[in-house]
């Protein structure tokens, strides 16, 4: 088996209805709990792709042991594949998982979050209910690094509202729930676009993907916290401001916003030239992006000026 291959751990009797991608990178303290919440998905047959991106800790082996133990103790309907990479793919890690997915509907789950056991089923039902929906977001509940999951709140006794999101709300700075951990999408709706260039997009891959889906269809959000999203010190958003102060953090976020806004303008121009959207929508969306871009540039310059006055050096700007 070469480094890029997925190992088939378990097949399924039924054809998978959607693919769950579970990227792993240095999350040894959380991956067991997070992965169990994906293996516990019920009411649907899923293809589960687990991929460890050359972690420096034991995340990959912990994930593999979690799968083996789970299968020895539970009946599992899902098809499961795992890749433990020795070559770091960085942001192309997500591309690699998508390219190896069997299903058109793809749901992303992160290696430190906890998904409700009905998340995949609700996602599948929503895509069948809303034919124009190209992406579904899910509201989440925020938890800290010490949170331990129990099964006491696994029952849903009320309907889940799935409301449309305004296109402007997926342009940076976007809604809190437009992040990758909360996303599921129709992969064929993105076939018209070229692959997002990892080297040119700092951290805004998920916002750009949400915008692309909104241009060609509907982005909707499930108005119920089906994800417990963990906030901890190992995340990029937490690390980027360490020892640099709040101005460095503001500068980092605005650089991220500017990169995303520029990419969105390029995508908007592309779909307009391909006659996928009309002139009226093009002009409305262009004005929304440009208004946000103007504010971003203003905040960016203010943060940069204040940081220089403080004698700060945002070294993280120049690192991967």
């Amino acid at each position: 088996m070469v480094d890029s291959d997925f190992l088939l751990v378990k097949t399924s009797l039924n054809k998978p209805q959607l693919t769950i991608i579970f990227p792993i990178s240095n999350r040894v303290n959380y991956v067991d709990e997070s992965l169990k919440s994906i293996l516990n998905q019920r009411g649907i047959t899923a293809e589960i792709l687990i991929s460890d991106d050359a972690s420096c800790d034991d995340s990959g082996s912990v994930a593999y042991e979690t799968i083996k133990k789970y299968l020895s103790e539970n009946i599992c309907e899902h098809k499961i594949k795992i890749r433990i990479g020795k070559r770091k793919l960085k942001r192309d890690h997500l591309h690699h998982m998508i390219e190896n997915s069997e299903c058109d509907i793809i749901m992303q789950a992160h290696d430190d979050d906890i998904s409700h056991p009905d998340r995949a089923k609700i996602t599948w039902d929503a895509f069948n209910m809303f034919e124009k929906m190209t992406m579904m977001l899910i509201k989440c509940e925020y938890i800290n690094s010490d949170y331990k999951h129990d099964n006491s709140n696994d029952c849903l006794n009320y309907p889940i509202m799935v409301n449309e999101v305004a296109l402007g709300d997926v342009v940076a700075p976007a809604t809190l729930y437009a992040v990758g951990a909360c996303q599921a999408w129709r992969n064929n709706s993105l076939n018209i676009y070229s692959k997002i260039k990892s080297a040119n997009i700092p951290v805004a891959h998920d916002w750009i993907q949400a915008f692309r889906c909104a241009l060609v269809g509907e982005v909707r959000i499930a108005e119920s916290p089906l994800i417990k999203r963990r906030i901890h010190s190992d995340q990029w958003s937490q690390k980027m401001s360490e020892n640099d102060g709040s101005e460095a953090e503001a500068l980092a976020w605005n650089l991220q916003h500017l990169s995303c806004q520029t990419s969105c303008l390029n995508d908007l121009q592309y779909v307009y030239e391909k006659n996928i959207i009309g002139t009226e929508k093009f002009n409305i969306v262009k004005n929304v992006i440009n208004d946000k871009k103007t504010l971003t540039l203003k905040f960016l310059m203010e943060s940069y000026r204040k940081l220089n006055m403080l004698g700060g050096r945002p070294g993280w700007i120049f690192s991967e």
Side-chain angles (χ1 to χ4, degrees), residues 92-109:
D92 280 331
H93 190 202
L94 183 64
H95 292 312
H96 184 67
M97 299 187 76
I98 293 170
E99 289 164 1
N100 279 274
S101 64
E102 178 179 326
C103 306
D104 181 47
I105 296 176
I106 298 176
M107 184 182 101
Q108 187 172 178

Side-chain angles (χ1 to χ4, degrees), residues 50-167:
I50 301 133
S51 180
D52 176 67
D53 193 32
S55 291
C56 299
D57 57 20
D58 292 327
S59 294
S61 57
V62 168
Y64 187 64
E65 290 302 318
T66 296
I67 296 168
K68 288 202 304 182
K69 187 173 187 298
Y70 184 89
L71 293 177
S72 69
E73 298 174 351
N74 300 273
I75 296 173
C76 181
E77 303 295 333
H78 308 306
K79 182 176 183 178
I80 304 171
K81 295 181 178 180
I82 190 169
R83 167 190 172 268
I84 300 179
K86 297 179 180 179
R87 176 176 58 90
K88 200 161 189 66
L89 299 177
K90 298 180 181 178
R91 294 186 186 99
D92 280 331
H93 190 202
L94 183 64
H95 292 312
H96 184 67
M97 299 187 76
I98 293 170
E99 289 164 1
N100 279 274
S101 64
E102 178 179 326
C103 306
D104 181 47
I105 296 176
I106 298 176
M107 184 182 101
Q108 187 172 178
H110 281 189
D111 53 5
D112 50 2
D113 300 328
I114 300 169
S115 291
H116 189 281
D118 292 323
R119 179 188 171 192
K121 177 65 164 60
I122 290 169
T123 298
W124 171 255
D125 289 343
F127 273 105
N128 283 299
M129 182 179 297
F130 301 105
E131 293 183 357
K132 294 182 179 180
M133 187 172 75
T134 49
M135 174 172 283
M136 178 170 151
L137 309 175
I138 291 181
K139 285 193 174 181
C140 54
E141 172 189 347
Y142 289 93
I143 58 177
N144 61 27
S145 57
D146 298 325
Y147 179 89
K148 294 299 180 184
H149 180 59
D150 61 44
N151 298 319
S152 59
N153 295 314
D154 281 350
C155 293
L156 294 175
N157 298 315
Y158 55 90
I160 305 299
M161 300 300 295
V162 183
N163 297 322
E164 189 170 358
V165 175
L167 197 147

Side-chain angles (χ1 to χ4, degrees), residues 35-47:
L35 182 52
K36 283 178 182 174
S37 76
I38 295 304
L39 297 171
N40 275 330
Q41 292 298 301
R42 61 196 180 195
I44 193 169
T45 301
E47 175 195 38

